[in-house]
Structures are given as C-alpha cells and as structure tokens.
Amino acid sequence: MWLPHRLYEAVPGICVTFAAVLLAGSLYVGFPRPLAFLYLAAALGCSIYGAGLMMLRRRYRRPRATPKVEDPGEILQAMARRFH
C-alpha cells in the first residue's frame, strides 16, 4: 500500500502522538483497572516504534562521505575500503 508523501513522512510523529494519547488515557482510567496496563503497553510499543522509525530514517538519509583520492592508482584501494 502506497501512502501519500506527507502522510508517509508524518507516520513517526503520529505514532509518538498516539503513544502520548494512550498514556493520557491510562492516567485517566486509573491504575487500579487492568485496562490501564494495556494502555501503557500500547503506549510503550507505539513510542518505541515511532522513535525507531525516526532513527532508521535519519540513519538512511544522512549524507555519506566519499573518499578523497589524489593518486589514480589508489582508486581500487579506496573502493575496497568503502565496502569493508
């Protein structure tokens, strides 16, 4: 399933916001009820998913340094270092 670009970019923020809503819901329901612990577990899962997704996207999108090669004979060595 394809998501529109704006929605795709907003998914981590939506997950973290949903986790905050679930956390507020667990506070509203009260901790003596068993439903509160379900809310807390779902909030923890959503926050971990959203934060993990943000971290993976940041790692994938960061600019990568290219090796500076002054001697043309070192091109193969520089490329080998790049993949090891």
Side-chain angles (χ1 to χ4, degrees):
M1 179 173 88
W2 292 94
L3 295 175
H5 182 70
R6 294 177 110 180
L7 182 61
Y8 175 78
E9 292 296 326
V11 167
I14 291 170
C15 287
V16 172
T17 304
F18 189 64
V21 168
L22 286 172
L23 182 63
S26 68
L27 293 174
Y28 178 74
V29 170
F31 288 111
R33 296 196 176 174
L35 190 60
F37 294 110
L38 180 64
Y39 282 0
L40 286 175
L44 181 66
C46 284
S47 61
I48 289 173
Y49 179 73
L53 196 56
M54 283 182 199
M55 188 176 66
L56 286 174
R57 286 184 183 179
R58 181 176 296 137
R59 185 183 306 163
Y60 179 75
R61 293 176 180 171
R62 75 173 178 221
R64 291 171 180 82
T66 57
K68 304 286 185 201
V69 178
E70 295 177 7
D71 184 20
E74 295 181 7
I75 291 176
L76 290 176
Q77 291 176 356
M79 293 300 289
R81 274 188 246 122
R82 185 177 183 186
F83 291 110
H84 288 293

